[in-house]
Amino acid sequence: MILVILIAMMTIITVLISINVVTRYIWHFSITWNEEITRFMFIWSVLFGTSLGIKRRNHFNLNIVSNLISIKYLDLFVSICILLFSLVMIIEGFKLATRTFTQLSPSLSIPMGYIYLAIPLTGLFNVIFTINNMLRPLSHQEEK
């Protein structure tokens, strides 16, 4: 589901930027709302991309660390760090979003709280995907 949303957002971003480039160089004007909406969609796509990376366990790692520490303990440590950071994202992102609903974006007049809602929302996805990744090895052991 997140992959479909990301593909759609990146497609829309590409189309909107292409339209803006054409209007700027052919008709010599720029569509202001176009730049703003592509910026907001880019923010959302970056944050949703991190959630997809966590879901697929594609986050970066350092081979030197994984060679020194048992993979089992390292995975647990990384998962706990992701959970803690994601909880901070949820709590502080929700505070930020609620404080900024009265602030409007310059071109679209959208409450900025909607843009900042990406932070707690992706934090929630990160928690769900991390817990799922932590429980997955346990379910595979029970099946054997």
Side-chain angles (χ1 to χ4, degrees):
M1 178 68 170
I2 290 180
L3 181 61
V4 172
I5 293 170
L6 282 171
I7 291 171
M9 284 198 302
M10 293 309 290
T11 302
I12 293 168
I13 288 170
T14 303
V15 168
L16 290 175
I17 288 175
S18 299
I19 289 171
N20 214 18
V21 167
V22 168
T23 59
R24 186 177 299 147
Y25 287 105
I26 293 179
W27 293 293
H28 305 292
F29 75 91
S30 181
I31 306 169
T32 56
W33 62 265
N34 191 333
E35 295 174 18
E36 192 169 282
I37 200 163
T38 54
R39 184 179 328 115
F40 295 156
M41 289 181 75
F42 183 74
I43 292 167
W44 274 71
S45 64
V46 166
L47 290 170
F48 273 100
T50 60
S51 293
L52 183 64
I54 289 172
K55 180 180 182 181
R56 293 181 170 186
R57 300 182 64 91
N58 285 340
H59 44 79
F60 73 95
N61 61 26
L62 300 173
N63 289 336
I64 192 167
V65 175
S66 61
N67 291 337
L68 296 174
I69 302 172
S70 169
I71 294 296
K72 182 171 112 177
Y73 296 117
L74 184 61
D75 282 345
L76 179 64
F77 176 74
V78 168
S79 295
I80 291 170
C81 288
I82 291 172
L83 281 175
L84 291 174
F85 184 75
S86 298
L87 289 173
V88 170
M89 284 178 67
I90 293 169
I91 295 166
E92 296 300 320
F94 185 75
K95 288 179 189 177
L96 177 65
T98 55
R99 281 194 314 254
T100 56
F101 269 105
T102 56
Q103 178 186 355
L104 299 178
S105 68
S107 295
L108 296 170
S109 296
I110 296 173
M112 291 301 292
Y114 289 122
I115 308 309
Y116 292 122
L117 273 177
I119 298 168
L121 186 61
T122 54
L124 180 64
F125 284 137
N126 293 350
V127 167
I128 292 168
F129 296 148
T130 301
I131 291 173
N132 186 37
N133 287 341
M134 290 172 75
L135 296 177
R136 189 174 301 147
L138 297 175
S139 65
H140 290 307
Q141 288 175 356
E142 292 173 5
E143 292 173 2
K144 291 182 181 177

